[in-house]
Amino acid sequence: TKKGIHMDTYFDANILTGTGLLAPDVNHKKIRAFLQEQIKPVRELMAYYQCAMMEVETKFKVLSQELSLEYDRNPIETIKTRLKSMDSITDKLLDRGFSLTLENIEQQLNDVAGVRVICGLPSDIYELADAFLRQDDVRLIMKKDYIATPKENGYRSLHLIVEIPIFLHDEKKMMKVEVQLRTISMDWWASLEHKIRYKKDIVVEESVANELRTCAETAAALDMRMEQLQKYISAKAMAE
């Protein structure tokens, strides 16, 4: 056994969540009991979310291929996918006052499956998002533009909660996916900000928070300068 979990259950949990050890906190017993009782349907649900991420990732890869032919450059630098871990799912449900059930996972959470699209320029973000949302099998549930209106800490990104179909052998199932679109600079700032801000047992001082916000503003200014350079070069190329 590992941390009191039967090895078979532990192994299944790792496959389902794509994470390491389940968090050894007060929710640990809830997760263990839930997985022991619902291991097959939970595994199926996580597989459906995995399929939904694959569908969204493929859609963006197709768009990137098309637009790279039109603009002679690739608007997408990389695509990352993430399946929320079972301990994170449990924490979020309980924090919101919901019990850990399959129904609540599907109905109350929008970000179990996540796809992050890293773009070169801010304009690439909006062009890709618009093209993605125009597809007739993509239903927009929620849109949050943290580029136009950054979070207080300086965070910038375009968030889309969408519902898309996955086609199983005997049915079509609608699944929710969170899509985040960022530039390279937005992504590295968010990654480093999280590592700096959430160091264990360290309280971030206001001066550090202000400096992080300033770094985000500097990164955004660089994005805009690169955007202007790209437009200048493109216009010059068309004129020749």
Side-chain angles (χ1 to χ4, degrees):
T1 61
K2 278 195 178 185
K3 290 187 182 276
I5 305 175
H6 189 276
M7 196 60 192
D8 290 341
T9 303
Y10 169 78
F11 182 69
D12 281 334
N14 270 347
I15 291 176
L16 290 172
T17 61
T19 187
L21 291 173
L22 293 171
D25 58 15
V26 294
N27 295 330
H28 184 189
K29 291 183 179 179
K30 291 183 180 1
I31 300 172
R32 181 177 61 183
F34 179 68
L35 288 176
Q36 287 175 339
E37 293 173 4
Q38 303 283 343
I39 188 65
K40 185 176 179 180
V42 170
R43 186 151 61 185
E44 287 179 350
L45 180 59
M46 293 301 133
Y48 296 157
Y49 278 119
Q50 188 76 47
C51 291
M53 289 192 302
M54 291 166 58
E55 290 281 355
V56 171
E57 183 179 15
T58 299
K59 286 178 178 294
F60 278 106
K61 284 182 175 179
V62 170
L63 288 172
S64 182
Q65 184 71 19
E66 178 202 358
L67 292 173
S68 66
L69 293 172
E70 182 176 347
Y71 298 133
D72 198 28
R73 66 179 182 85
N74 196 331
I76 296 179
E77 297 294 326
T78 187
I79 301 174
K80 305 174 184 178
T81 60
R82 184 272 297 142
L83 194 62
K84 209 171 191 65
S85 65
M86 189 54 66
D87 46 316
S88 293
I89 288 172
T90 304
D91 287 344
K92 199 159 191 177
L93 282 175
L94 296 181
D95 286 346
R96 294 181 177 184
F98 297 104
S99 58
L100 179 60
T101 66
L102 290 171
E103 183 179 17
N104 283 341
I105 292 173
E106 284 197 83
Q107 294 185 1
Q108 304 302 330
L109 300 182
N110 292 326
D111 61 346
V112 174
V115 176
R116 184 172 296 156
V117 182
I118 312 301
C119 303
L121 300 169
S123 60
D124 295 332
I125 291 174
Y126 293 106
E127 183 166 15
L128 284 164
D130 289 345
F132 173 66
L133 293 174
R134 281 196 300 269
Q135 298 184 18
D136 57 15
D137 60 346
V138 177
R139 185 175 78 88
L140 178 64
I141 297 174
M142 186 186 306
K143 179 178 180 179
K144 292 185 178 180
D145 190 344
Y146 295 117
I147 302 172
T149 308
K151 289 188 177 181
E152 187 177 346
N153 67 346
Y155 174 86
R156 287 165 169 81
S157 183
L158 179 64
H159 289 201
L160 308 173
I161 304 297
V162 298
E163 189 176 58
I164 65 161
I166 61 170
F167 295 90
L168 308 173
H169 77 284
D170 60 350
E171 66 172 322
K172 178 176 77 172
K173 186 171 180 63
M174 302 302 295
M175 301 297 298
K176 287 186 286 188
V177 180
E178 180 188 51
V179 181
Q180 297 179 356
L181 296 103
R182 303 173 177 173
T183 62
I184 301 167
S185 63
M186 293 173 195
D187 190 56
W188 64 250
W189 180 90
S191 177
L192 291 176
E193 189 267 353
H194 188 271
K195 291 175 182 178
I196 292 169
R197 185 179 288 274
Y198 297 104
K199 287 283 187 182
K200 188 176 181 181
D201 300 326
I202 299 295
V203 177
V204 174
E205 299 170 3
E206 185 63 25
S207 59
V208 175
N210 289 337
E211 184 64 21
L212 287 168
R213 193 180 303 111
T214 300
C215 288
E217 291 166 358
T218 301
L222 286 172
D223 270 341
M224 296 312 299
R225 291 176 68 179
M226 295 300 288
E227 183 92 67
Q228 292 302 316
L229 284 170
Q230 176 62 40
K231 288 180 179 178
Y232 172 77
I233 295 298
S234 295
K236 191 171 182 180
M238 289 180 64
E240 292 179 354

